[in-house]
Amino acid sequence: MPIDHPSFGRLDDDRVIMFDTTLRDGEQSPGFSMNLAEKIRLAHALADLGADVIEAGFPIASPGDFESVDAIARAVRRPVICGLARSAPGDILRAAEAVRHAERPRIHTFISTSPLHMKYKLRMEPDAVLEAVTASVTLARRHTADVEWSAEDGSRTEPDFLARCVEAAINAGATTINIPDTVGYALPEDLTRIFTDLRARVPGADTVVFSAHNHNDLGLAVANTVAALRAGARQVECTINGIGERAGNAALEEITMALRTRQDAVPLRTGIASERILRTSRLLSTITGFDVQPNKAIVGRNAFAHESGIHQDGMLKNAQTYEIMTPESVGWTKTNLVMGKHSGRAAFRDKLATLGYADIGDNLLNDAFRRFKDIADRKKIVYDEDIVALVDDEVDRDHTRIRFISLDVHAGSRGPACAELTLEVDGVQSTQSEVGDGPVDATFRAIRAIFPHEASLVLFSVGAVTEGTDAQAKTTVRLTEGGKMVDGQGADTDTIVASARAYVHALNKLLVKRLRTEPGALLASA
Ligand code: KIV
Ligand code: ZN
């Protein structure tokens, strides 16, 4: 039976609501934190992808979290914007305040319901938890018509108690009921049983949307999500690239394509524009500095590569022999060769638009175009990936205090490496030469000499943007300072230059973070 939903209106039986929690469950996992500008950028990309609900953060968690939920609620119009809250009134009021300016706001409130969590984590009796369910949903409903209630550790909750909690939440006005497999423990048949049982026995179950939220500790998150859908859930909570706590959450791209590819078995539809999947995945990788593994379903570099002779032969005869979906359907393009060094600015701007950078400003366009020309001079073939890497390298540098200018390095097997680096700090150029244990060490020492700071380098990684020895290197540098952690990225055909750019990018991000928490600190640091 169709459901009348406060945010979506009439919801047909076969429509699956895609609830993206990349910015909340994904962002809270170590190493995946994003700054405000990055979160807004990703939220726009999720809206373009067709996510129905964006869980933008956990507003009570920190002023930064509040600020980003508020900013996304104001800036991103089509999807429902959701803020997470525990059952405490303070949490709910903060979430209500953060989503207030959304076109379609949602408060998502949760409490643990499993015996283990109630006893050891909450130290609450089941009856008190039940009261908290009613009180929290009632309070949330005073602020938004669209309220989601979640039973944390729901998959390990005693079935009768779970049914009582769900009934209390529905009676208090919840419009979505989410049953998370918080610790990634469940098997697909557990999800089938849980959703079938709740829908059959809880009064009012036919008036709400049931939702699945699965973690991937046993590698079953997507399988469990599909099982929940087949048992009547119509909202799935997921993240781009499957990022999230511990082993992650169910991956949006995998659920989307499982439904599209297996319409024969699961005749349900989503509003996801699947051709945008790859670019959204790549945007997230660029922002966080973490590439997906090559064999990652849908978005991994090898997901559509056919290496063995038998497979290649089959592919040439009929692609369906070894391909269950087309690479184009998720955004892979066959010809990603781009203009050469003679291409002009207009062609470059057009290319950027097709790559999802339609609205970049003139300054950024000029900087990116200059670097494109430079790369086109040095590299035989410039691919889409190269352009994406260099534009991402330039984006979000508006608040940049430190700029990379040039680097000369002497390295090799016969003696210490030496780096001569020029940076511009607050508009003033300085040059420093340093020796070090290898060219990267020498370069990073030169950065510290020009801009002294206490931050520690905790991660340095290098990958190739495309194939071949003239490929651009893509580097990530992670710095920590006083509990703050930032990742910087850099790309260049020269690995050491890419490393310097990544370090400078991370430093600039750290300075912005410092400014937010201790206004005035920036001036004192250099
Ligand atoms: O995994 C979980 O239980 C959660 C809830 C807060 C929904 O993320
Ligand atoms: Zn979760």
Side-chain angles (χ1 to χ4, degrees), residues 21 24-25 28 180-182 213 215 245 249:
T21 184
R24 200 278 297 170
D25 223 343
Q28 75 193 32
D181 181 28
T182 302
H213 175 116
H215 281 270
E245 285 281 6
N249 290 56

Side-chain angles (χ1 to χ4, degrees), residues 306-321:
H306 301 274
E307 185 73 29
S308 93
I310 295 174
H311 286 210
Q312 284 179 354
D313 182 52
M315 284 292 295
L316 289 173
K317 289 175 175 147
N318 180 340
Q320 285 177 4
T321 50

